[in-house]
Amino acid sequence: MHFVAIAIDGPAASGKSSVARRVAEHFGFLFINSGAMYRAFTWWVLENRVNPSDATAVLSLLQRSRFECGLQGRESIIRIDGRAVTEDFMRREDVNASVSTIAAIPEVRRALVAQQQHFCSMGDLVMEGRDIGTVVIPETPYKFYLDASAEVRVRRRRAQGIDDNIRDRDLKDSSRDTAPLRPADDAQRIDTSHLTLEEVTEKVIQTLHVEGVRRREPPRQVMSWVYNLTYALCKAFFGIAYAMEVHHAERARIPGGAYFASNHASFLDPPLVGTALEEPIFYLARNTLFKPPIFSWLLPRLNTVPVDRDNAELSSLRVSMQIVKEGKKMVVFPEGTRTPDGSLQPAQRGVGMLVAKTGVPVIPVRIFGSFEAFPRTSKFPKLDGKIHVVFGHPIHFSEEELTAKGKAGQQVISDRVMQAIASLTVPDGTS
Ligand code: DC
């Protein structure tokens, strides 16, 4: 596991959601509510008029539905077949009544646990639920189990005005065969019956502090006036000369370190990716480029990091890993060199190695038109034509892909990245 993961489990109305959200805010971590996933799917089952007790029908619905778990800011969101599942849907009375039945189906759990484990590759997080410490992330040393007497929990739900038969739900959740609600052996248990929300939150934060968990400061973004000015000039130039259009920039808005992996056809590509984004990113350049005094002054202010020419491979790898580990983003070109003829070239192993060693996600980028504007055979760019920059969905690699052994495993990652770049097209309706 590359990120810190904190597990908070407990029965209904034990206070775990509120505490988990506050702990996540305190440390600047992601907050993942696993119960929301079971609730979202339960809502979908009811919406499709499938009987929750008919496991075969429920599974068939699961198989034909597209279940997407993503992040909005620092919290998890869920879409099923493209529909956003809102809090109102998930808190409905009929969802409360059926969610434990759905959550007891082993295949449903398997699918949702895989999604929950996937979040662990996206950043430091606090995840709350019933089986987080026992099944989802049993390897984490940071586990809490919150509890409270049944009377107190029923009172809390009533005070929230929610009609929820929690005794019934708790019984089902703790007596099911697969991943029943129970504290992990190494979880710290906290009885919240007579504690306020603030007191419980403080207790959890204190424990984590003692165990060495620290607030993740947002990386200090180097955004000097030089970067700002160059950014504005490049953006204006690309706009005027090439009517540059950016598609799906929202896909690039993910927290933490990541690589932008772009096709490479021209010297224009690094500034094209940089100006297509809202946040500053990092670039690599041979250290010989830093020789002229103007460049040795300018390039560092443009977040460009020198790599040693004599030892380019090792030095660039080390620097590229360091940057994303600090939570920053950088652009890499999996093909290694600019294309000689405008077509995509096979990916080199380098990007696979970076990903395998850092575990960060990759955002594929495809640039259209930069070859026509400024191919490697030209000394100067042509000042016409059209440029599109298209971002793909972030690729989060599975633990299995990241730990696949040797050069072949790294090449598999590189190839997957290149395929994702190749699959990007300019959306319909744009010129
Ligand atoms: O946390 P919650 O009350 O929103 O969870 C709703 C239901 O989802 C809960 O009754 C059981 C199920 N659940 C689960 O089985 N495993 C989890 N990790 C989280 C929730």
Side-chain angles (χ1 to χ4, degrees):
M1 193 169 14
H2 304 280
F3 293 103
V4 175
I6 297 164
I8 302 187
D9 288 303
S14 55
K16 58 189 188 318
S17 283
S18 312
V19 171
R21 181 177 272 118
R22 285 172 182 225
V23 171
E25 274 167 12
H26 175 87
F27 286 103
F29 290 2
L30 306 174
F31 165 62
I32 310 297
N33 177 340
S34 68
M37 297 183 195
Y38 291 95
R39 286 176 178 276
F41 182 58
T42 304
W43 164 77
W44 189 238
V45 167
L46 299 171
E47 190 73 2
N48 282 273
R49 305 195 188 293
V50 170
N51 176 358
S53 310
D54 181 348
T56 313
V58 169
L59 286 183
S60 141
L61 178 67
L62 180 69
Q63 271 151 14
R64 55 177 202 273
S65 307
R66 193 160 41 90
F67 201 97
E68 295 168 88
C69 295
L71 288 170
Q72 194 157 49
R74 303 210 143 266
E75 299 207 4
S76 46
I77 48 157
I78 301 155
R79 284 176 170 276
I80 308 182
D81 280 1
R83 279 182 75 179
V85 187
T86 65
E87 193 70 15
D88 284 351
F89 291 161
M90 288 193 274
R91 295 282 151 201
R92 267 178 10 192
E93 231 171 86
D94 53 348
V95 171
N96 283 339
S98 299
V99 64
S100 292
T101 307
I102 298 290
I105 303 174
E107 290 85 351
V108 171
R109 299 201 69 79
R110 209 172 303 139
L112 298 197
V113 166
Q115 300 269 359
Q116 290 150 17
Q117 289 170 336
H118 198 59
F119 276 118
C120 298
S121 65
M122 297 190 186
D124 302 308
L125 54 77
V126 180
M127 197 184 301
E128 59 101 335
R130 303 291 188 289
D131 60 341
I132 309 303
T134 50
V135 174
V136 181
I137 37 174
E139 68 278 23
T140 183
Y142 312 115
K143 295 180 191 174
F144 297 86
Y145 187 87
L146 308 190
D147 208 347
S149 68
E151 293 71 37
V152 169
R153 292 187 294 112
V154 169
R155 224 181 301 134
R156 283 180 187 161
R157 274 291 187 263
R158 281 209 196 107
Q160 290 173 313
I162 295 172
D163 191 0
D164 185 0
N165 189 345
I166 58 176
R167 286 178 207 260
D168 190 36
R169 212 144 58 82
D170 286 346
L171 182 68
K172 281 191 189 151
D173 292 341
S174 43
S175 59
R176 66 182 175 221
D177 290 334
T178 312
L181 166 68
R182 69 169 180 82
D185 294 337
D186 53 344
Q188 179 181 337
R189 299 181 191 209
I190 303 177
D191 184 346
T192 70
S193 305
H194 306 291
L195 297 174
T196 63
L197 175 58
E198 287 71 25
E199 286 167 331
V200 183
T201 307
E202 197 45 43
K203 230 178 161 67
V204 173
I205 290 174
Q206 277 311 322
T207 307
L208 291 168
H209 265 286
V210 171
E211 290 175 358
V213 177
R214 293 288 174 268
R215 198 186 146 72
R216 185 77 70 167
E217 293 303 339
R220 197 175 63 84
Q221 297 289 15
V222 187
M223 195 56 149
S224 68
W225 67 267
V226 182
Y227 195 107
N228 276 329
L229 183 67
T230 314
Y231 180 95
L233 288 175
C234 285
K235 203 163 180 130
F237 171 71
F238 292 141
I240 294 165
Y242 306 113
M244 169 187 176
E245 274 187 59
V246 180
H247 307 277
H248 298 305
E250 77 286 353
R251 293 175 178 167
R253 281 185 219 124
I254 58 170
Y259 291 111
F260 288 102
S262 170
N263 61 314
H264 200 9
S266 165
F267 276 141
L268 299 176
D269 297 334
L272 279 168
V273 178
T275 49
L277 291 163
E278 294 138 10
E279 64 173 324
I281 55 168
F282 285 76
Y283 311 85
L284 287 180
R286 298 254 157 136
N287 60 357
T288 45
L289 211 66
F290 285 68
K291 280 248 169 74
I294 174 71
F295 281 154
S296 69
W297 179 85
L298 183 65
L299 290 177
R301 288 167 174 79
L302 298 180
N303 288 354
T304 307
V305 182
V307 291
D308 188 354
R309 202 177 69 144
D310 300 328
N311 198 359
E313 201 167 316
L314 208 75
S315 145
S316 58
L317 283 175
R318 215 185 33 238
V319 172
S320 319
M321 290 191 305
Q322 183 61 30
I323 287 172
V324 297
K325 280 185 181 162
E326 287 170 13
K328 297 163 184 162
K329 297 191 174 68
M330 101 176 279
V331 60
V332 292
F333 297 99
E335 297 154 287
T337 54
R338 287 167 296 157
T339 172
D341 57 6
S343 62
L344 296 179
Q345 307 166 88
Q348 309 224 343
R349 186 168 51 88
V351 66
M353 190 189 296
L354 290 176
V355 171
K357 288 193 189 293
T358 57
V360 300
V362 172
I363 302 162
V365 188
R366 178 120 183 230
I367 302 173
F368 293 89
S370 68
F371 179 78
E372 291 71 14
F374 192 13
R376 46 189 303 181
T377 45
S378 300
K379 276 225 162 80
F380 298 102
K382 258 188 268 154
L383 294 181
D384 63 0
K386 170 90 186 167
I387 290 184
H388 295 270
V389 181
V390 188
F391 290 96
H393 288 289
I395 311 172
H396 296 272
F397 292 89
S398 66
E399 205 60 38
E400 207 176 306
E401 286 171 296
L402 294 175
T403 51
K405 287 278 171 296
K407 295 182 177 177
Q410 295 169 353
Q411 189 64 48
V412 169
I413 296 179
S414 290
D415 291 344
R416 185 171 164 204
V417 169
M418 205 60 217
Q419 269 164 20
I421 297 172
S423 71
L424 293 173
T425 52
V426 176
D428 286 346
T430 40
S431 54

